[in-house]
Amino acid sequence: MIEKIADYLKQKKLLNRLKLQDDFTVTFLAQGEYNQNFLISDGQRKYVFRLNYGSQLQLTNQISYEYQALEWLEKSQRTPKVYYVDDQRQDFSQGLLIMAFLEGEPLDYRKDLLTAADIFSDIHQLAIDTTAEKYFVTEKENILAARIEECQVLLNPVFKSSVITERAKHLLATALEENKKNVHQQDFFDQQKLWSVNNTEVNSHNFIIGEKGYLIDWEKPVISHPVQDISQFLASTTTLWRSNLKLTLTEKQEFLTRYLMRTSFDPAAFFKALQIYHPYLMLRALSWSAMAYDNYLTGDKALKNQEIFEKVSQYLEPEFLAKALREDVLKDE
């Protein structure tokens, strides 16, 4: 793959376009569930070469969606600058894009919470214009129903699975029915009309913290209430994902205070939105984990990550699952 990428850059005459020297290198960078990333460098300039293997939004042209999102988000100065996209799948079986490589480290919850609040506030305050309305999937009218629909799709193979315990199936099915009963709370979001572009995948390793802080991995952004990102950021399933820790109530309060101060969003209304939305977020996170667990053991995935498999296995332990589905993000455990 490394040789293929190097040849592709030369054949497409991208060295001049990217101002790369002839002695550039290509090295493996990172792999997730749906993407592989490679580092292109000539010692002076660095880029990420990203190959896409699937769409969580069930899009027919996933890589172009991500490219357009990054173009629109560039004005926030909190996302990677994007330079090139190829969605033809002629040279590679996957769609691909090239974006800036950002220097820094993953977010450290213990010292970078205020920086995260600043990143979110700069992104969430971008006004939704006609271009955004055209580009992005929107959940303006169905933020809660969208989670229910998503969870039903995720849980369909789970409820039929031979490797998921009956206890886990029961807990997930019960939570799904409870959330269905409360979908009428969508009215609250309709009245607020507080919409922004949300990343929807805000674990610590999707942040780059250096001289400045950035949010990366924009494969499934949507127009939604900003509580979607904030709820996920604070959730135990997110903080445990790559950092294996839970935020204290004090840490959550400090983060929210900074975020609400910078955005000027009404605190009382935002806290209510957080209370309403969080059960849907937790159900979605745990439904995805159950789906992934089943798929790892019974499916034929193009990309596999042992660390992810171990984490979703932990999330399906009955005690953890039951507690997580009842999580109140604004209270200490």
Side-chain angles (χ1 to χ4, degrees), residues 207-219:
F207 289 84
I208 298 294
I209 308 299
E211 292 184 9
K212 189 174 181 179
Y214 299 91
L215 183 55
I216 63 173
D217 201 353
W218 286 87
E219 69 177 80

Side-chain angles (χ1 to χ4, degrees), residues 71-201:
E71 274 198 321
W72 188 86
L73 288 158
E74 185 178 337
K75 54 183 172 288
S76 73
Q77 299 185 349
R78 293 291 192 174
T79 58
K81 181 177 176 58
V82 69
Y83 293 92
Y84 178 80
V85 64
D86 181 350
D87 61 1
Q88 298 303 300
R89 302 187 183 186
Q90 293 179 349
D91 297 273
F92 291 84
S93 300
Q94 306 80 23
L96 65 93
L97 63 75
I98 299 174
M99 58 186 170
F101 174 82
L102 301 173
E103 300 284 354
E105 301 294 330
L107 180 138
D108 182 334
Y109 288 108
R110 294 299 183 223
K111 66 179 184 180
D112 298 326
L113 278 179
L114 298 185
T115 300
D118 293 348
I119 294 169
F120 279 125
S121 65
D122 287 343
I123 293 171
H124 289 169
Q125 289 184 94
L126 294 178
I128 302 299
D129 56 17
T130 55
T131 302
E133 296 278 8
K134 176 183 176 182
Y135 281 170
F136 293 100
V137 171
T138 183
E139 294 181 354
K140 281 186 177 183
E141 299 178 356
N142 64 338
I143 181 173
L144 301 184
R147 294 291 78 72
I148 293 295
E149 182 178 350
E150 192 177 13
C151 289
Q152 287 175 323
V153 172
L154 292 169
L155 290 172
N156 185 48
V158 171
F159 293 148
K160 300 174 183 177
S161 174
S162 61
V163 298
I164 305 288
T165 67
E166 292 304 313
R167 175 62 174 158
K169 292 178 186 178
H170 174 74
L171 288 168
L172 290 164
T174 300
L176 179 63
E177 291 307 311
E178 289 176 354
N179 282 341
K180 282 182 180 179
K181 293 176 183 177
N182 293 320
V183 169
H184 63 274
Q185 294 178 103
Q186 172 71 37
D187 292 346
F188 178 77
F189 298 96
D190 295 340
Q191 294 164 9
Q192 269 203 297
K193 299 188 185 303
L194 182 61
W195 308 117
S196 64
V197 172
N198 286 246
N199 174 277
T200 76
E201 293 192 300

